């Protein structure tokens, strides 16, 4: 047997409150066959969240509630509430602000059945144009020298 050092667990829940996210990726591989979309979102601090939309029910019928949720999400990302059709990739790079809420539940399947879990739910979407003046984008380092050039001395 070999001893091996394990990596530290870095998973944390996104804190409750209002948070701005950047759409990093839309996984639509299961859309044609199963009506499923996954949208990977990232905060300014680099925390990630995946929003899932199941547009077709298990019986094959259209899930109108999920379609309305996806439509509102996409239109808010694009800041265009009149658009009728988009390519799912159109929202990549867009920003959206949402209210983050934690919900506890009891697991019903798997090895952890019967234990309590916490999920993150996003709602109250609003359009955003970026992370804001006080936050630094997670994928871009802060450039403090540019700020100093604007000072009048």
């Amino acid at each position: 047997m070999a001893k091996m050092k394990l990596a530290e667990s870095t998973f944390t829940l996104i804190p409750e409150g209002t948070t701005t996210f950047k759409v990093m990726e839309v996984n639509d591989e299961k859309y044609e066959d199963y009506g499923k979309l996954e949208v990977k979102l990232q905060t300014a601090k680099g925390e990630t969240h995946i929003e899932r939309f199941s547009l077709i029910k298990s019986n094959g019928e259209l899930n109108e509630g999920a379609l309305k949720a996806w439509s509102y999400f996409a239109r808010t990302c694009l800041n265009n509430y009149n658009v009728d059709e988009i390519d799912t990739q159109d929202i990549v790079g867009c920003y959206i602000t949402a209210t983050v809420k934690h919900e506890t539940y009891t697991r019903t399947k798997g090895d952890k059945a019967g234990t309590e879990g916490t999920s993150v739910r996003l709602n109250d979407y609003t359009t955003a144009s970026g992370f804001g003046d006080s936050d630094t984008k997670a994928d871009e380092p802060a450039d403090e020298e540019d700020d100093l050039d604007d000072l009048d001395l």
Side-chain angles (χ1 to χ4, degrees), residues 2-13:
K3 287 192 175 189
M4 184 176 159
K5 183 156 177 80
L6 301 177
E8 288 185 35
S9 176
T10 58
F11 175 78
T12 58
L13 291 175

Side-chain angles (χ1 to χ4, degrees), residues 112-130:
K112 296 184 178 180
T115 63
E116 190 174 274
T118 303
S119 63
V120 172
R121 182 173 301 274
L122 304 183
N123 53 30
D124 300 329
Y125 302 123
T126 57
T127 300
S129 58

Side-chain angles (χ1 to χ4, degrees), residues 35-118:
K36 295 184 183 287
L37 293 173
E38 291 185 347
V39 181
K40 183 177 180 182
L41 304 170
Q42 183 173 314
T43 68
K45 294 179 181 178
E47 301 160 314
T48 59
H49 174 77
I50 297 177
E51 277 289 272
R52 292 177 174 87
F53 298 92
S54 296
L55 304 173
I56 297 177
K57 296 178 183 178
S58 59
N59 63 5
E61 293 179 13
L62 178 66
N63 184 344
E64 291 192 31
L67 178 60
K68 288 178 183 178
W70 160 251
S71 299
Y72 184 73
F73 179 86
R75 287 179 176 132
T76 302
C77 285
L78 296 169
N79 195 21
N80 182 349
Y81 296 93
N82 297 317
V83 68
D84 290 326
E85 182 177 272
I86 67 164
D87 182 307
T88 56
Q89 301 305 309
D90 289 348
I91 65 171
V92 174
C94 293
Y95 293 85
I96 191 166
T97 299
T99 301
V100 177
K101 293 185 180 178
H102 294 173
E103 293 184 358
T104 56
Y105 62 95
T106 302
R107 293 179 174 98
T108 59
K109 298 178 183 176
D111 295 339
K112 296 184 178 180
T115 63
E116 190 174 274
T118 303

